[in-house]
Amino acid sequence: MLKPFVGIYNHGSSDAAVIKPLNSKGQKAIAISCGINPRYSIDPYHMALSAIDEAVRNAVAVGANPEELSLLDNFCWGNPNLPDRLGSLVKAAEGCLAGALHYQVPFISGKDSLNNEYISASGERKAIPGTLLISAMAMVPDIEQVVTMDLKKAGNLLYILGFSRDELGGSLLLETLKLKGGKVPSLSAQARERALALHQVIAQGLVQSCHDLSEGGLAVAAAEMVIAGGVGLELQLANLPSEALSSLTKLFAESNTRWLLEVDPKHVEALENHFKTSHVPHAQLGHVSEKAELNISHQDENLIHLTWAELDKAWRGHVLEVSA
């Protein structure tokens, strides 16, 4: 069984939960994951695609098979009798169709919650941001091969699978900086191939830990792995598979279908050969270090230097008190 929180202090956010029915025979289990980001509602079509991609990549990150996966939708919207609300709802539904067709997965159920509106003190009618929650259920072939997101061992290497683009629309970075604009993440034509390639290397036992890149992009995903594992990361962005991007965008872009993978050096050749054969973008970004801190550089420029305590305080709001 894989719980929602993992790591040395059980406070790292797992990408998915994995359960195995009581008294069931064999090693098969079920992964349950989700994808949601109402900030992307500025582009409801791509919000739907992104929510599907997040649900799929979260399930695949723990070891689920993307070819044995099903989806559920949950729409929370305003009054569909109003043209703008109905138009954005239709666009989101079209995104659901496109995402399901791309990943070749069915929607087996869903629900909606409409008319989420209120009248402000000034008499103005306001609706909540159109919000779509996508839930995924997927088969895990072997519960003994489930992968968690916490870093495991100093000396292991860190890889990225996927391609980074100039996609900051609706991102956590822009919200934090109180900025608007940018493109909401799109869905790569190669998304399904990347998910299959990752599942295959996990099934071969080549991955020690895995974490998807979502809100906050690469920088936040790396920080979460450090927080959960209690060890450090030394990363270099120069080799990141990407468009021509600024360092800031490389750190915080929220492009879909990307994962960070911790790999034992003895498995590097097999992993790289598989990804090259599968023609999926990937690169070694750095390594796991004994010193519990996050260091990210771009060529000779140090971009981030934060200790585990600083990261953990930012995550919890206070420093964890560890008993001896």
Side-chain angles (χ1 to χ4, degrees):
M1 181 175 69
L2 178 60
K3 296 182 179 182
F5 288 95
V6 298
I8 56 172
Y9 301 120
N10 291 313
H11 73 313
S13 298
S14 182
D15 291 297
V18 178
I19 59 175
K20 187 173 185 292
L22 294 174
N23 301 319
S24 63
K25 297 180 180 179
Q27 295 298 100
K28 285 189 174 182
I30 299 173
I32 303 171
S33 65
C34 64
I36 184 172
N37 195 330
R39 285 192 295 270
Y40 293 167
S41 62
I42 55 176
D43 185 335
Y45 179 82
H46 285 102
M47 176 182 71
L49 287 173
S50 295
I52 290 173
D53 190 76
E54 183 180 14
V56 171
R57 68 178 184 260
N58 277 334
V60 174
V62 300
N65 185 350
E67 295 187 299
E68 296 183 315
L69 184 146
S70 58
L71 301 173
L72 299 92
D73 61 70
N74 188 336
F75 290 88
C76 293
W77 232 262
N79 182 355
N81 292 314
L82 299 177
D84 61 334
R85 275 65 148 175
L86 179 60
S88 61
L89 181 60
V90 169
K91 282 296 183 182
E94 290 175 347
C96 286
L97 172 62
L101 289 174
H102 175 83
Y103 272 112
Q104 300 177 31
V105 296
F107 276 93
I108 59 172
S109 187
K111 70 177 292 291
D112 59 66
S113 175
L114 305 178
N115 297 300
N116 290 282
E117 306 204 3
Y118 66 96
I119 304 297
S120 69
S122 62
E124 182 182 3
R125 177 179 289 275
K126 292 183 177 291
I128 66 165
T131 302
L132 174 63
L133 167 67
I134 297 293
S135 301
M137 296 185 296
M139 295 302 300
V140 176
D142 187 347
I143 197 168
E144 297 297 329
Q145 290 186 318
V146 166
V147 173
T148 58
M149 53 77 71
D150 48 307
L151 295 172
K152 303 301 190 299
K153 182 182 176 182
N156 285 343
L157 303 178
L158 197 84
Y159 277 76
I160 188 167
L161 172 61
F163 193 80
S164 301
R165 302 182 183 279
D166 187 6
E167 294 174 321
L168 285 170
S171 67
L172 182 61
L173 175 69
L174 293 195
E175 181 183 66
T176 302
L177 298 178
K178 302 186 184 310
L179 299 175
K180 295 182 179 181
K183 294 186 294 184
V184 170
S186 58
L187 187 65
S188 167
Q190 197 194 31
R192 186 170 185 271
E193 286 71 20
R194 294 180 197 170
L196 286 169
L198 175 57
H199 172 64
Q200 289 158 358
V201 294
I202 289 177
Q204 295 173 43
L206 304 182
V207 177
Q208 303 301 304
S209 67
C210 180
H211 194 27
D212 90 304
L213 277 67
S214 54
E215 291 177 289
L218 169 62
V220 170
E224 290 172 340
M225 295 179 82
V226 169
I227 292 168
V231 288
L233 277 176
E234 299 283 339
L235 303 182
Q236 170 59 248
L237 296 185
N239 295 329
L240 182 74
S242 71
E243 298 174 338
L245 304 175
S246 68
S247 296
L248 187 70
T249 304
K250 286 183 177 183
L251 287 171
F252 297 105
E254 297 182 4
S255 300
N256 286 316
T257 332
R258 298 182 299 160
W259 298 266
L260 292 177
L261 318 176
E262 180 188 2
V263 182
D264 189 304
K266 67 184 179 184
H267 295 317
V268 162
E269 183 177 0
L271 180 116
E272 289 196 350
N273 287 340
H274 183 84
F275 285 161
K276 288 175 183 176
T277 302
S278 303
H279 304 291
V280 294
H282 65 282
Q284 181 186 323
L285 294 185
H287 66 274
V288 182
S289 59
E290 290 186 6
K291 194 170 184 179
E293 57 186 32
L294 176 62
N295 288 297
I296 304 180
S297 301
H298 189 273
Q299 296 178 342
D300 295 329
E301 181 184 6
N302 184 259
L303 304 174
I304 291 177
H305 170 75
L306 292 166
T307 65
W308 182 91
E310 290 172 320
L311 294 170
D312 193 59
K313 183 177 180 180
W315 164 236
R316 291 175 179 273
H318 61 89
V319 177
L320 174 68
E321 295 183 4
V322 182
S323 58

